Amino acid sequence: MFQYCRTIRFQDTDAAGVVYFAQILSVCHEAYEASLQQTGIDLQAFFSRGAIAVPITHAEADFHRPLMCGDVITIRLTPQSTSPHSFNIQYEICRGERQVASAATHHVCIDTATRQRCPLTSELTQWLQVGTEAAESPTGAGQLD
């Protein structure tokens, strides 16, 4: 498990002053990027559309409490391998100790030339291992800020 702290910004909210429903997935993606970077993955190279891509093929979010501009949140993300070429990420979004939302994404590793599934890269395999080990450790998380 990795942790990422963030403040909800005005740009994240809708006309009612609460987080716009699609924006929570954007915030979760920020946490995902920070977790990749924490394990030494070069984000520019990772997202540069080289020979391998890792698109999100499914995303979902549930809201339990409203989030407003100025709220400080912690996103706990736990990646889990689902096959040699795919993984899921579970996100728990908390304000203080209270869970206010949850989300999940499913990612598949593909060859960009053929658009066919291919094995996860060694970088992603290492990232998955670090995330799994952190979730199983007594402290439970790697901190991302």
Side-chain angles (χ1 to χ4, degrees):
M1 174 181 19
F2 298 98
Q3 286 193 156
Y4 176 72
C5 296
R6 184 185 189 282
T7 301
I8 298 297
R9 299 180 188 109
F10 177 70
Q11 68 189 18
D12 299 324
T13 63
D14 62 16
V18 297
V19 168
Y20 180 65
F21 74 95
Q23 191 62 20
I24 201 69
L25 292 172
S26 180
V27 172
C28 288
H29 205 278
E30 283 180 32
Y32 167 52
E33 291 176 32
S35 71
L36 293 171
Q37 194 168 31
Q38 180 186 343
T39 58
I41 293 176
D42 177 341
L43 295 182
Q44 187 173 17
F46 185 80
F47 291 112
S48 71
R49 294 191 173 187
I52 302 295
V54 189
I56 295 172
T57 59
H58 177 79
E60 61 184 62
D62 291 306
F63 297 87
H64 312 297
R65 300 267 183 244
L67 285 169
M68 316 289 262
C69 182
D71 283 345
V72 176
I73 60 172
T74 300
I75 301 163
R76 297 182 185 112
L77 63 126
T78 306
Q80 181 180 20
S81 178
T82 55
S83 78
H85 50 74
S86 64
F87 61 92
N88 288 335
I89 305 174
Q90 298 295 321
Y91 301 90
E92 180 183 344
I93 299 98
C94 297
R95 182 179 52 230
E97 295 300 314
R98 180 173 232 170
Q99 184 177 353
V100 294
S102 58
T105 54
H106 181 74
H107 306 246
V108 176
C109 190
I110 62 169
D111 179 299
T112 55
T114 65
R115 308 306 281 178
Q116 297 298 308
R117 293 176 186 227
C118 64
L120 295 171
T121 64
S122 59
E123 288 178 318
L124 280 173
T125 301
Q126 179 184 358
W127 171 77
L128 285 161
Q129 183 177 354
V130 169
T132 301
E133 289 172 358
E136 294 170 352
S137 76
T139 57
Q143 187 69 30
L144 305 169
D145 293 308

